[in-house]
Amino acid sequence: MTVRIKVWDLPLRVFHWILVAAVVSAFVTGQLGGSLSDWHGRIGLLILGLLIFRLIWGVAGSHYARFANLPVTPAELVAHAKGQWQGYGHNPLGSISVMVLLGLLFVQVGTGLFANDDIAFQGPLFNLVDKDLSDKLSGLHALVFNFLVGMVALHLVAIGFYFFIKKTNLVKPMLTGEKEVKKSEELPSTRSGGIRFFIAVVISGVLVWVIQSDFFLEHLQPYQKNLPAVQDW
C-alpha cells in the first residue's frame, strides 16, 4: 500500500526555484557583461538573501528542511552505499550535494561583494578592501564559478539518472512537495509555520539591505587602515 506524504514545505520549494532562476540569470548576465553587469550585481544580492533565508530555514523550517536532519554521517553514507538507508528527504549523497552547492554559492556571493571588473562594476563592499585584494577576490569569484557549474551539471546528471534508470522523479516532489511511499508509521510534521517564514524573510531582507547600503562603508572604513595589507593575507 502506498500513501502520499508531504516532504518539502512550501518555503523550501519557493526558495529552490527562485534560486534556480537567480543562478541562471547571474550566469547569463555575468557572461554577457557590459550594461548587464549592474543586473549581475543585483541578482547576486538576491542570491545572498536567498542563502541567508536558507540558513535560517535550515534551523527553523520543517523537519526535512533542517540541516540537523540531513543524513550526512559516515554511517548513513555507508548504509546508502549498501542500499540499506531509509528516509524520505534527501538521501546521503543528495544531502552532501546540497551542502556543497550552498557552500560554493556562499563563497561565490561573498567574493562578489568585494569584486570588480576593472571597467564599470564594483561590488557593494569593494571600498572596504584595497584594489589588490579585490582583484584576488575577483579571481576567486571566477574560479569558484567553474566549480559551481560542475556541481550544477552533476546535479542535473543525478536527476537524469534517477529518472531514466531508477524510475524516480526527483523534480516533481520539489514542485508539489509530495512523495508517494510505502509507509505505515507516523511521519514528522512538514508544516512550515507562517510566522517563522515571515521572520526569516524579514531578517534576510534587512541583512541584504545593510550589506548593499553605505552602512559598512560609514562604520568600517575609518578602521580600514588597521587592516593587514593584502600581501599579509
Side-chain angles (χ1 to χ4, degrees):
M1 177 181 176
T2 61
V3 294
R4 298 189 68 83
I5 64 169
K6 200 77 169 181
V7 176
W8 308 121
D9 60 42
L10 180 60
L12 185 62
R13 293 179 348 248
V14 171
F15 156 82
H16 178 272
W17 293 112
I18 294 179
L19 182 64
V20 169
V23 169
V24 172
S25 300
F27 170 78
V28 172
T29 55
Q31 293 299 302
L32 295 178
S35 60
L36 293 177
S37 293
D38 287 340
W39 276 105
H40 182 74
R42 295 186 187 107
I43 294 167
L45 288 171
L46 171 61
I47 294 174
L48 175 61
L50 289 169
L51 293 175
I52 293 172
F53 169 81
R54 184 64 183 95
L55 279 183
I56 298 171
W57 207 242
V59 176
S62 62
H63 180 83
Y64 293 108
R66 297 182 182 181
F67 296 130
N69 295 322
L70 290 178
V72 294
T73 66
E76 288 166 323
L77 285 169
V78 171
H80 179 65
K82 293 180 178 179
Q84 299 172 349
W85 179 81
Q86 294 183 343
Y88 301 107
H90 289 299
N91 64 39
L93 285 180
S95 297
I96 290 176
S97 173
V98 167
M99 300 303 290
V100 171
L101 273 171
L102 290 177
L104 287 173
L105 283 170
F106 264 112
V107 175
Q108 186 74 353
V109 172
T111 54
L113 295 175
F114 301 91
N116 75 93
D117 64 358
D118 284 322
I119 302 174
F121 176 79
Q122 294 178 347
L125 302 183
F126 169 81
N127 289 320
L128 288 181
V129 298
D130 61 39
K131 180 63 165 56
D132 286 342
L133 180 54
S134 175
D135 288 342
K136 289 180 181 293
L137 292 174
S138 299
L140 182 59
H141 187 74
L143 178 63
V144 172
F145 170 77
N146 295 325
F147 288 101
L148 190 57
V149 169
M151 282 301 301
V152 170
L154 186 61
H155 187 67
L156 294 175
V157 168
I159 290 174
F161 172 78
Y162 270 84
F163 184 79
F164 292 107
I165 305 301
K166 304 193 75 170
K167 307 301 180 183
T168 300
N169 190 334
L170 298 180
V171 176
K172 186 177 179 180
M174 194 53 74
L175 290 169
T176 65
E178 296 180 338
K179 280 187 176 182
E180 188 172 286
V181 299
K182 295 178 180 180
K183 192 64 183 178
S184 58
E185 64 185 55
E186 186 178 354
L187 295 164
S189 172
T190 56
R191 296 185 62 179
S192 56
I195 295 177
R196 285 177 290 153
F197 171 71
F198 176 76
I199 293 173
V201 170
V202 169
I203 293 174
S204 304
V206 169
L207 288 177
V208 171
W209 177 83
V210 169
I211 289 171
Q212 65 83 40
S213 70
D214 294 331
F215 176 85
F216 284 112
L217 298 181
E218 293 174 353
H219 291 79
L220 295 183
Q221 257 192 328
Y223 306 98
Q224 191 175 11
K225 61 182 180 181
N226 296 322
L227 294 176
V230 64
Q231 60 266 26
D232 297 330
W233 284 55

